[in-house]
Amino acid sequence: MTQPIDIAVIGATGTVGETLVQILEERDFPVGTLYLLASNESAGSAVSFRGKNLRTREVDEFDFTKVRLAFFAAGPAVTLSFAPRAQAAGCTVIDLSGALPAEQAPAVVPEANPQVLDTLKAPATLHSPSAAAVALAVVLAPLKHLVDLQRVTVTACLAVSAQGREAVSELARQTAELLNARPLEPRFFDRQIAFNLLAQVGPSDEQGHGVLERRLVRELRELLDLPLLKISVTCVQVPVFFGDSYTVSLNASEAVDLAAVNQALDTAPGVELVQDEGDFPTPVGDAVGQDVVYVGRVRGGIDEPQQLDLWLTTDNVRKGAALNAVQLAELLIKDLV
Amino acid sequence: MTQPIDIAVIGATGTVGETLVQILEERDFPVGTLYLLASNESAGSAVSFRGKNLRTREVDEFDFTKVRLAFFAAGPAVTLSFAPRAQAAGCTVIDLSGALPAEQAPAVVPEANPQVLDTLKAPATLHSPSAAAVALAVVLAPLKHLVDLQRVTVTACLAVSAQGREAVSELARQTAELLNARPLEPRFFDRQIAFNLLAQVGPSDEQGHGVLERRLVRELRELLDLPLLKISVTCVQVPVFFGDSYTVSLNASEAVDLAAVNQALDTAPGVELVQDEGDFPTPVGDAVGQDVVYVGRVRGGIDEPQQLDLWLTTDNVRKGAALNAVQLAELLIKDLV
C-alpha cells in the first residue's frame, strides 16, 4: 500500500480548490496531513475533508517543508509568489494556474501525454492545463494516429464558474433582476451576461487574441506534441453556471474514417461518446459532476470527406481542472513524490 | 411617387410576421390594403398597423388576386400549400420559410447579391434566406473580393426566438422554475434550455447534419455565388431570447490584409463594425432591435497570416428575417411588382 503523503492545497477555498479536496477524498487518495492554504482574504474559512472541517491558513506563513506535494489552485500571482518556495522545500508541485513557464512545468493530461512523466525527476513540477486544453486533449489524443490533423477550429462556450464564485452569483443575480423586471446592475461582468453572450473571456492582446485563447493554442500543441498544428479558437462566455462546451471542427489531409473515429472515441479513456441518433450531450444534463468529457454530434463534412466535426461538453471545474490535477498526482505518487 | 401596393402577409401573428408588419410601417413602405393571414389556429387575433388593429384572416379562404405582393412568413407546410395559389394569381412572392425549391425561388440578400433581381421577370418569386445566411452573407460579401476564401467554419449560437413564441416563453418559464428551486418540466424543448446549451437545433439527417445546418451551407454558397466553398457549421441553441451570434473562422489562400478587411467592413452596407480595443458587440447590448449585423473581434490567425476570425451578432427576427424580406420588396417595387 502507498504511504500517506502530506499535501498542501493552495487556493483551497476557490471553486477548483474545494472540488480538488473533495476528489482527493472521493478517490481515496493516500493523504497524510492535508494543509489548506489561501491568500489573506480567504484564510480562516473552513473546507470539509473526511468528515472534518479543516480551517484554511495563510499561504504566506506556511512552511512548505511540511509537505511533499503542493497543488496550486489559486491565481497566477499566488503561484508565482509561492511555487518557488514549495520547489525550494523539495515539494512536488502541480500548478493549475498556468503561471509557471512551460520549460519549467510541462503540461500533462493523463489520457493524452502520460509519457512526459517518465522524463521527470523527483521532485517534479507539472502543469495541469486549462479546462479547455484538458477537454480537447482527452478527445483529440485518441484520434491523433487515426486522423492526420491539419487544422483545428474551436469555439469554446465557457461557463461562468471558470471565473469563480463571484461570477456564478452574478449570473444568478442578473437573471433574477431581469425576470423581476428590476434594473440590471452589472458588477462582476462589465455588462449583461444573463440571456446574453460575451464574445471574449478575460483580457486580450494587441492582435485581438484573448489570453485564454493563446493559452489553449499553446497548451494543446504541447499536449498533442504537434507544435505546428494550426489552431483557431474563440472563447465565448455563455450564461451557463457549470460545464464548458466546445464545437470542434477538424481538417485532415485524407478522408476521415468515421466508423474508426467512433470506435476510437467509444473506447478512449476519459471519453463518453453519445451515439444515439438525434441525441447529444449537454453541460447541465450530462457533463456536470462527471469525470469524463462527453462527445457527440460526430459527423463528417458536407461534401467533404477530409472534414470531421464534434461537440464536446465537460465539467470545467471537475474534469477540466481539479480531477486532472488529482489524476496527475495519482500517477506521480507511484514513483516521483 | 410609388403607387400603393396591396399586400398579404401570411404568418402575420408569428414573431417574424409581426415584426415584418411593423417594419413595413416604420419604413413607410407604400402599402395599399394590407391583408394579414394566418392558419386556422391563429386567425382572428389582431396585429397593429398604422394605428389600427388589423384582424388576421384564414389564409385558406383568401383570394390572392386581391394583392400584388405576398410575404410568406409562416412555416414550410403553409408556404408549400399556398404559395402556388399566390403565384397562379400573379402575385410576387417573397418566401421566408425556405420551402420553395432554389431554382424556383432564388435566395437574395440585398447587401450580397442584388444583381440576381435583374435576371427576374414579374411576377417574381424570391427567397429571403435563413437568419444565419443573411448575417453571414452581409458580412462575407464585402470580403469576397478581398480574401480568396477557401473555407468557412461557423458556430451559430441561435436565440430561442427563432423557434417562435412558445420557445421564448419556455426559456423564461424554465429559468424562473430553476431560480425558485421548483422542479423543471421541459415542454417545448425536450430538455433543460435555461442555463444550458443544446448542441443541435431542430431535426438532423442520417449523416448527423441538422436541417438548418444544411440549409445555411446551401444558402450561403448561393448568396456568395461560390458553389464549391467549403463550409462547416454547427448550430447551437443558447439560452438567449433574441439575437443570434456567430463565431466565423475563415481560411484564405493568401495572407489576409487585416487593415483592408477592417476598412471594407467599416464601409459595408448593413454592417456595424466594433473596433475599439477590448470591446465587442453582444446580442442583447447591441444587436436586438437594430437593422445591421454587428461585427467584432476581427483578428488574424495565431502564427497564420491566411486566417481571419470574426464575431457577428444580429437580431435574428428583424435583420435576419423580417427586414431582409422588406428590403427585397423595396428593391422589387422599383420595377417588378
Side-chain angles (χ1 to χ4, degrees):
Chain A
M1 200 200 132
T2 319
Q3 287 287 328
I5 297 158
D6 298 335
I7 294 176
V9 177
I10 298 91
T13 56
T15 46
V16 171
E18 202 171 73
T19 304
L20 199 154
V21 170
Q22 186 188 322
I23 292 174
L24 287 173
E25 179 173 338
E26 280 173 21
R27 294 172 74 98
D28 217 4
F29 193 90
V31 181
T33 304
L34 181 63
Y35 297 91
L36 303 183
L37 306 175
S39 53
N40 298 358
E41 312 93 72
S42 310
S45 59
V47 173
S48 160
F49 180 68
R50 291 185 184 160
K52 287 183 192 161
N53 275 328
L54 300 185
R55 197 153 290 280
T56 53
R57 308 164 185 217
E58 282 198 26
V59 59
D60 201 15
E61 294 165 2
F62 186 67
D63 171 10
F64 279 95
T65 61
K66 288 182 173 172
V67 295
R68 283 171 60 208
L69 173 60
F71 292 100
F72 280 82
V78 172
T79 306
L80 285 174
S81 295
F82 298 101
R85 264 167 56 177
Q87 290 166 319
C91 275
T92 284
V93 167
I94 298 180
D95 171 31
L96 292 92
S97 75
L100 303 178
E103 44 298 356
Q104 201 193 108
V108 183
V109 170
E111 293 91 336
N113 62 341
Q115 72 280 1
V116 169
L117 298 180
D118 301 335
T119 66
L120 301 177
K121 278 182 290 189
T125 294
L126 280 184
H127 171 207
S128 183
S130 63
V134 171
L136 286 157
V138 164
V139 173
L140 297 185
L143 302 181
K144 204 180 104 173
H145 300 288
L146 209 60
V147 177
D148 179 31
L149 284 180
Q150 300 293 302
R151 172 189 297 284
V152 181
T153 307
V154 178
T155 296
C157 300
L158 303 180
V160 294
S161 50
Q163 313 261 350
R165 280 189 224 292
E166 275 182 88
V168 171
S169 311
E170 169 98 351
L171 173 57
R173 189 183 54 76
Q174 281 195 13
T175 306
E177 282 175 357
L178 288 168
L179 287 187
N180 291 303
R182 287 200 299 265
L184 188 83
E185 286 178 27
R187 287 176 213 157
F188 180 86
F189 295 102
D190 67 350
R191 55 188 99 186
Q192 181 176 336
I193 175 65
F195 307 115
N196 201 13
L197 301 182
L198 308 186
Q200 193 173 303
V201 181
S204 63
D205 61 23
E206 276 183 8
Q207 284 77 46
H209 298 290
V211 169
L212 261 180
E213 291 163 354
R214 283 217 186 256
R215 185 178 171 196
L216 173 59
V217 170
R218 195 171 59 237
E219 291 174 349
L220 191 56
R221 285 173 176 166
E222 182 183 356
L223 293 167
L224 296 175
D225 195 19
L226 294 171
L228 299 176
L229 182 62
K230 292 172 180 169
I231 306 175
S232 167
V233 55
T234 304
C235 290
V236 180
Q237 185 79 72
V238 297
V240 167
F241 290 109
F242 293 93
D244 288 345
S245 304
Y246 306 88
T247 66
V248 183
S249 200
L250 305 171
N251 307 125
S253 58
E254 292 174 7
V256 175
D257 180 344
L258 285 173
V261 165
N262 273 303
Q263 202 188 353
L265 290 174
D266 202 24
T267 55
V271 173
E272 180 72 29
L273 179 63
V274 174
Q275 290 186 283
D276 294 343
E277 201 183 308
D279 198 13
F280 51 82
T282 76
V284 169
D286 300 280
V288 171
Q290 300 301 312
D291 290 351
V292 291
V293 182
Y294 282 83
V295 182
R297 298 217 63 203
V298 177
R299 62 201 193 279
I302 291 180
D303 310 330
E304 198 185 359
Q306 303 97 319
Q307 170 84 16
L308 174 64
D309 282 281
L310 310 169
W311 164 262
L312 321 183
T313 182
T314 191
D315 188 324
N316 53 307
V317 173
R318 190 177 176 88
K319 178 63 179 166
L323 176 62
N324 191 72
V326 174
Q327 283 178 292
L328 290 180
E330 287 171 347
L331 293 175
L332 283 173
I333 57 170
K334 289 189 180 155
D335 38 32
L336 271 178
V337 173
Chain B
M1 199 200 132
T2 319
Q3 286 288 328
I5 297 159
D6 298 336
I7 294 177
V9 176
I10 298 91
T13 57
T15 46
V16 170
E18 203 171 72
T19 304
L20 199 153
V21 170
Q22 188 188 320
I23 291 174
L24 287 174
E25 179 173 338
E26 280 173 21
R27 294 171 73 98
D28 218 3
F29 193 91
V31 181
T33 304
L34 181 63
Y35 297 90
L36 303 183
L37 307 175
S39 54
N40 299 358
E41 312 94 71
S42 311
S45 59
V47 172
S48 160
F49 180 68
R50 292 186 182 159
K52 288 182 190 161
N53 275 329
L54 299 186
R55 196 153 291 281
T56 54
R57 309 165 183 215
E58 283 198 26
V59 58
D60 202 13
E61 294 165 3
F62 186 67
D63 171 11
F64 278 95
T65 60
K66 287 182 176 174
V67 296
R68 283 171 61 207
L69 174 60
F71 292 99
F72 280 83
V78 172
T79 306
L80 286 175
S81 296
F82 298 102
R85 262 168 57 179
Q87 291 166 318
C91 276
T92 285
V93 167
I94 298 180
D95 172 30
L96 293 92
S97 75
L100 303 178
E103 47 291 1
Q104 201 193 108
V108 183
V109 170
E111 293 91 338
N113 63 340
Q115 72 280 2
V116 170
L117 299 180
D118 301 335
T119 66
L120 301 177
K121 279 182 291 189
T125 295
L126 279 184
H127 171 206
S128 183
S130 63
V134 171
L136 286 156
V138 164
V139 173
L140 297 185
L143 302 181
K144 204 179 105 174
H145 300 288
L146 208 59
V147 177
D148 180 33
L149 285 179
Q150 300 293 301
R151 173 188 296 284
V152 181
T153 307
V154 178
T155 296
C157 300
L158 303 181
V160 294
S161 50
Q163 312 260 353
R165 281 189 222 292
E166 274 182 89
V168 171
S169 313
E170 169 97 351
L171 173 57
R173 188 182 55 76
Q174 282 195 14
T175 306
E177 282 175 358
L178 289 167
L179 286 187
N180 291 301
R182 287 199 299 264
L184 187 82
E185 286 177 26
R187 287 177 213 157
F188 181 86
F189 295 102
D190 68 348
R191 55 189 98 186
Q192 182 177 335
I193 175 66
F195 307 115
N196 201 14
L197 302 182
L198 308 185
Q200 193 175 303
V201 181
S204 62
D205 61 23
E206 276 183 8
Q207 285 77 46
H209 298 290
V211 169
L212 261 180
E213 291 163 354
R214 284 215 185 257
R215 185 178 171 195
L216 172 60
V217 170
R218 195 171 58 236
E219 291 174 348
L220 191 56
R221 286 174 175 166
E222 182 184 355
L223 293 167
L224 297 176
D225 196 18
L226 294 171
L228 299 176
L229 183 63
K230 291 171 180 170
I231 305 174
S232 167
V233 55
T234 304
C235 290
V236 180
Q237 185 79 71
V238 297
V240 167
F241 289 110
F242 293 93
D244 288 346
S245 304
Y246 306 88
T247 66
V248 183
S249 201
L250 305 171
N251 307 126
S253 58
E254 293 174 6
V256 175
D257 180 343
L258 285 173
V261 164
N262 273 304
Q263 201 188 353
L265 290 174
D266 202 24
T267 54
V271 173
E272 179 73 29
L273 178 64
V274 175
Q275 297 197 75
D276 294 342
E277 201 181 310
D279 197 13
F280 50 83
T282 75
V284 169
D286 300 280
V288 171
Q290 300 302 312
D291 289 351
V292 292
V293 182
Y294 282 82
V295 181
R297 297 214 66 202
V298 177
R299 61 199 194 280
I302 291 179
D303 310 330
E304 198 186 356
Q306 302 97 320
Q307 171 83 18
L308 174 65
D309 282 281
L310 309 169
W311 165 261
L312 321 184
T313 182
T314 191
D315 187 324
N316 53 306
V317 173
R318 189 176 176 88
K319 178 63 180 166
L323 176 62
N324 192 72
V326 175
Q327 283 179 291
L328 290 181
E330 288 171 347
L331 293 175
L332 284 173
I333 56 169
K334 288 189 181 155
D335 38 32
L336 270 178
V337 172

